[in-house]
Amino acid sequence: MYTYRFTTASQRETEELGERFSAYLDPGTVVAMYGDLGAGKTAFTRGVLRGLGYDCTVSSPTFAIVNEYRGGRLDLAHFDMYRISSEDELYGTGFYDYLDGTMTVFMEWSENVPFAVDEDAVKVRIEHGEGDIRIIEIDFQKEIEI
Ligand SMILES: Nc1ncnc2c1ncn2[C@@H]1O[C@H](COP(=O)(O)OP(=O)(O)OP(=O)(O)O)[C@@H](O)[C@H]1O
Ligand SMILES: [Mg+2]
């Protein structure tokens, strides 16, 4: 596992980072995102989706729990675990059905579902710096250049 560290100074920069990172994703990759409210998890995911060829509105699926995006370079399931706190609840969302290796899975609020995060999952940790600064750490199995 390699750890990469980035600093962004605006939502746009975080989206652009996600866009560049999307090139390294494969079907079946699970990306566990960590970070407070307003950290930029959705912004990062929006950039990833743009990089995969999706031209649509992307917001946190806080109430829907999961939004599916199909037809781009990869099919992607975008989860928001904000309201999930038990394995039963997670099971009820259909989460485990998405791990069949055909979908790329992004999860906001992975803090809430540690039992669902495999050791080999990609981790994206976003921390607030001063003002609009965000420190973004990515644990990834591969060497990447972004
Ligand atoms: N460097 C930055 N990167 C990303 N977002 C930033 C940055 N600076 C400021 N922002 C602002 O922070 C907010 C990030 O929102 P976003 O919805 O991506 O966060 P989130 O981590 O998904 O939060 P939530 O847990 O509520 O879903 C936006 O309002 C955005 O404009
Ligand atoms: Mg969000």
Side-chain angles (χ1 to χ4, degrees), residues 47-134:
V48 166
L49 284 161
R50 196 188 298 150
L52 295 175
Y54 295 96
D55 176 23
C56 52
T57 307
V58 176
S59 53
S60 295
T62 310
F63 293 97
I65 310 290
V66 58
N67 286 338
E68 283 181 36
Y69 298 85
R70 294 179 186 272
R73 183 175 79 75
L74 300 168
D75 294 339
L76 189 147
H78 179 198
F79 276 84
D80 186 350
M81 304 305 187
Y82 189 65
R83 284 151 33 92
I84 303 292
S85 55
S86 73
E87 215 153 356
D88 276 357
E89 274 172 20
L90 183 63
Y91 188 81
T93 68
F95 175 77
Y96 294 100
D97 298 333
Y98 288 93
L99 303 182
D100 63 358
T102 68
M103 307 275 299
T104 303
V105 177
F106 273 66
M107 304 155 63
E108 299 196 26
W109 287 100
S110 299
E111 291 91 337
N112 287 357
V113 293
F115 45 81
V117 180
D118 269 12
E119 212 171 282
D120 63 350
V122 179
K123 281 47 158 224
V124 176
R125 290 180 294 272
I126 309 182
E127 282 180 22
H128 283 259
E130 209 159 294
D132 286 350
I133 301 292
R134 301 291 189 273

Side-chain angles (χ1 to χ4, degrees), residues 8-11 14 36-43 60 108-109 132 134:
T8 66
S10 66
Q11 172 170 310
T14 298
D36 290 344
L37 284 170
K41 304 177 293 295
T42 300
S60 295
E108 299 196 26
W109 287 100
D132 286 350
R134 301 291 189 273

